[in-house]
Amino acid sequence: MTNPYATIFRAPGAKGFAAAGFVARLPIAMAPIGLVTMLSQTYGEYWLAGAVAATFALTNALVAPQVSRLVDRLGQARVLIPSTLVSVLAFAVLITAAHLDWPIWTLFASALAAAAMPSIPAMVRARWTELFRDGPELGTAFAFESAADELVYIAGASLSVGLSVALFPEAGMLASTLFLAIGSSALILQHATEPKVRSIAREHRGSAILLRPVQIITFALIFVGAIFATAEVSAVAITRELGQPGAASLVIGVYAVGSFIVGIIVGALPLKLPLQRQLAIAIAVIAVTTLPLLVADTVALLALAIFVSGIGVSPTFITAFGLIERLVPQAMLTEGITWVTTGIGIGMALGSFAAGWTIDTFGAHNGFWVSVAAGTIALTTVLLGQRVLGEPRAASPERG
């Protein structure tokens, strides 16, 4: 049997842009936790660290789709160069401000500017789509990307915290900024695989978020993102309550491991079920597997329950991005993909807040009720949207 992953990497340029994209996306995981670690050590106040990190994350969630919209209209290189440069310089200012104890307003100002950071996962997925549009290899490519995302979250956060603790407070953010600069530069220089700029039909000249399929998938993945964040916050609270706070990183890590393993397997399978049905099944699995989390009362049971809860994550991402590729006009693809990833980020921010409030009010184990509620809403959204998600894509002619 032919290895489907070997097949996709035989395409010209695939190895190069996949490697560059992996390095360039590390800041997605490294920057938020790196900001918290750096500022909590340099300023000694967690509220400030959290506020600056939230400012960056939420602003980036709103700005990234606009950057991707420009990419669809002008091309990756023309937009990635200035947006990456602004983000890298802003991160450099933020690091300097923390090191030299500059006024607090400089932290927030530079965090806002750093939010110009482009959505590298969207750029890479757009390149895979350019190579394998409408072919069976595209599902495998999206599966690889989902696995790469999981590896980024597994390795990125740990690397950022580890560097800051072992070396100096700014080390994690410095490494994150270098990865963004080097990885993005390597991606920009690979012109051969850059997607073509396509003209936009008159009826599709607005934002991709105005399209019903993008709205449905993004809304559903907001609540999937909330489940991720709830798992992280609740794991920290429960392991602390059980007197084993050091086990939190292990428990959180197995969540991504479960998703990674299943994503690799699913990507190698020639599934024939319609994508909208696959998405409904994957989110149903996520929703159902939130229930065992409510009764996990030891670290071992918690780790097992969270591992099982992660098995539906990668299939959800794979099918969600597959549907975006199928349903969104090609001239709006990068923006469409970015809205989905943005939904996940917004959900994580909201989930962290909701889980934190629930834990403070009702106790550590009750944080997972947020996961149950979020899973129910996500599944209901996708089930109600099955007809829309099953419709054919609107045509979008190429520019000659």
Side-chain angles (χ1 to χ4, degrees):
M1 180 180 177
T2 304
N3 182 348
Y5 293 101
T7 300
I8 64 172
F9 282 109
R10 281 198 287 268
K15 292 179 181 177
F17 74 70
F22 183 84
V23 173
R25 85 180 74 185
L26 280 168
I28 296 173
M30 294 183 69
I33 190 65
L35 287 172
V36 171
T37 307
M38 176 179 73
L39 296 177
S40 62
Q41 292 184 74
T42 54
Y43 284 80
E45 298 183 47
Y46 279 95
W47 74 266
L48 175 62
V52 173
T55 297
F56 163 74
L58 292 177
T59 305
N60 181 248
L62 297 174
V63 171
Q66 313 314 317
V67 173
S68 293
R69 187 178 181 186
L70 288 174
V71 166
D72 284 328
R73 284 144 181 77
L74 302 175
Q76 288 194 6
R78 291 179 64 185
V79 177
L80 289 184
I81 291 173
S83 62
T84 302
L85 183 61
V86 168
S87 186
V88 167
L89 290 176
F91 276 132
V93 171
L94 208 163
I95 292 169
T96 304
H99 183 71
L100 299 179
D101 197 24
W102 287 359
I104 287 176
W105 70 264
T106 61
L107 303 176
F108 287 96
S110 51
L112 284 170
M117 186 176 78
S119 175
I120 298 299
M123 307 302 156
V124 177
R125 283 179 169 92
R127 292 190 182 225
W128 283 119
T129 302
E130 192 74 7
L131 285 178
F132 300 124
R133 179 172 282 110
D134 299 324
E137 300 90 350
L138 188 58
T140 303
F142 282 168
F144 169 80
E145 286 302 307
S146 295
D149 288 337
E150 298 298 342
L151 284 178
V152 164
Y153 282 106
I154 292 171
S158 298
L159 177 62
S160 184
V161 173
L163 288 172
S164 293
V165 172
L167 300 178
F168 49 90
E170 302 86 1
M173 279 305 304
L174 180 60
S176 174
T177 304
L178 290 174
F179 285 139
L180 176 62
I182 295 169
S184 296
S185 298
L187 186 65
I188 291 165
L189 291 172
Q190 297 180 55
H191 300 292
T193 54
E194 182 176 345
K196 299 175 183 177
V197 176
R198 291 173 166 82
S199 62
I200 303 172
R202 181 168 303 187
E203 63 270 25
H204 296 309
R205 287 184 179 172
S207 172
I209 196 61
L210 299 178
L211 301 175
R212 288 290 292 158
V214 178
Q215 292 173 352
I216 292 169
I217 295 172
T218 300
F219 187 75
L221 264 64
I222 285 174
F223 291 95
V224 172
I227 294 173
F228 301 165
T230 301
E232 294 179 356
V233 174
S234 297
V236 170
I238 291 172
T239 52
R240 181 183 296 124
E241 187 177 86
L242 293 172
Q244 302 179 59
S249 59
L250 173 63
V251 171
I252 294 170
V254 300
Y255 190 59
V257 170
S259 175
F260 173 78
I261 293 172
V262 175
I264 289 292
I265 295 171
V266 169
L269 298 176
L271 301 177
K272 302 299 184 184
L273 196 67
L275 284 174
Q276 71 272 17
R277 302 282 178 82
Q278 293 184 40
L279 181 63
I281 292 171
I283 292 183
V285 170
I286 290 178
V288 170
T289 54
T290 60
L291 296 175
L293 295 170
L294 298 171
V295 295
D297 56 1
T298 67
V299 170
L301 285 176
L302 181 62
L304 177 61
I306 283 185
F307 177 84
V308 172
S309 182
I311 64 176
V313 175
S314 276
T316 296
F317 287 172
I318 295 166
T319 52
F321 289 120
L323 281 166
I324 291 294
E325 187 277 330
R326 195 191 76 189
L327 297 173
V328 173
Q330 295 173 9
M332 308 172 79
L333 179 63
T334 310
E335 185 192 355
I337 293 174
T338 304
W339 275 114
V340 174
T341 57
T342 290
I344 298 168
I346 292 172
M348 292 183 71
L350 295 176
S352 294
F353 173 79
W357 179 86
T358 302
I359 289 167
D360 287 340
T361 307
F362 300 106
H365 279 84
N366 286 305
F368 284 123
W369 281 108
V370 176
S371 295
V372 174
T376 302
I377 296 171
L379 179 58
T380 302
T381 300
V382 171
L383 291 177
L384 292 175
Q386 285 291 290
R387 183 184 60 80
V388 173
L389 297 179
E391 293 174 353
R393 170 171 48 200
S396 180
E398 287 192 22
R399 185 170 72 190

